Amino acid sequence: MILENVTVGTELPPLQLEPISRRTLALFAGGSGDHQPVHIDIDVAKARGRGDVIAHGMLSMAYLGRLLTNWIPQERIRSFKARFAAVAPVYGEPRCTGRVVAVENGLATLDLTVALADGTVTVRGEAIVDITPGTEKSCGSPNAAR
């Protein structure tokens, strides 16, 4: 990415993820410490009126974080927030997208979305990133800004 080319309307390269598997949910539960049974125990999920387990909301937010850091180095992220809009079921196929909606004083504001294959938006997010050219640090990232 060339920072001078970032303008309102710039689209981040979308991030299409594999279907969310039970293994992914178990690994995320272990890594995050979120062992809520509705994410990993189908019997508990059914007792709560769900057909199956559901993904952790923070897993979807983590996917948005990956979308961002695939586009710009982490040290350029000034803020990042998300709101959960719907549940992501096991075997859901999340797709993350982002678009620049404002540029001012070297900062770009991005609208971010995680949606499933059927169009259901599960997470909406916003990030503010520094797009000031020439301030990047050398971090060895293959995604470092130029």
Side-chain angles (χ1 to χ4, degrees), residues 4-140:
E4 291 85 1
N5 294 340
V6 174
T7 60
V8 172
T10 297
E11 302 267 346
L12 280 63
L15 174 64
Q16 179 65 53
L17 295 137
E18 296 292 319
I20 300 169
S21 68
R22 294 180 194 284
R23 181 174 185 267
T24 298
L25 297 179
L27 289 171
F28 190 81
S32 68
D34 182 350
H35 296 279
Q36 289 293 321
V38 74
H39 300 303
I40 51 180
D41 186 331
I42 191 171
D43 293 330
V44 170
K46 286 185 176 181
R48 293 185 184 175
R50 303 212 178 268
D52 206 331
V53 296
I54 59 172
H56 306 73
M58 293 304 289
L59 174 62
S60 294
M61 187 173 180
Y63 291 149
L64 279 183
R66 187 187 311 172
L67 173 77
L68 272 175
T69 57
N70 282 351
W71 187 66
I72 197 160
Q74 180 178 343
E75 66 269 14
R76 287 183 169 271
I77 299 171
R78 299 296 176 256
S79 70
F80 174 39
K81 59 186 177 182
R83 182 174 53 84
F84 305 117
V87 297
V90 65
Y91 307 122
E93 298 179 30
R95 178 181 170 87
C96 302
T97 57
R99 186 171 65 87
V100 175
V101 295
V103 175
E104 185 174 335
N105 298 325
L107 298 174
T109 302
L110 296 93
D111 277 348
L112 308 167
T113 301
V114 180
L116 301 174
D118 68 359
T120 301
V121 173
T122 60
V123 179
R124 292 192 187 282
E126 179 185 280
I128 297 175
V129 300
D130 182 353
I131 58 168
T132 306
T135 58
E136 57 276 304
K137 295 178 183 175
S138 176
C139 63

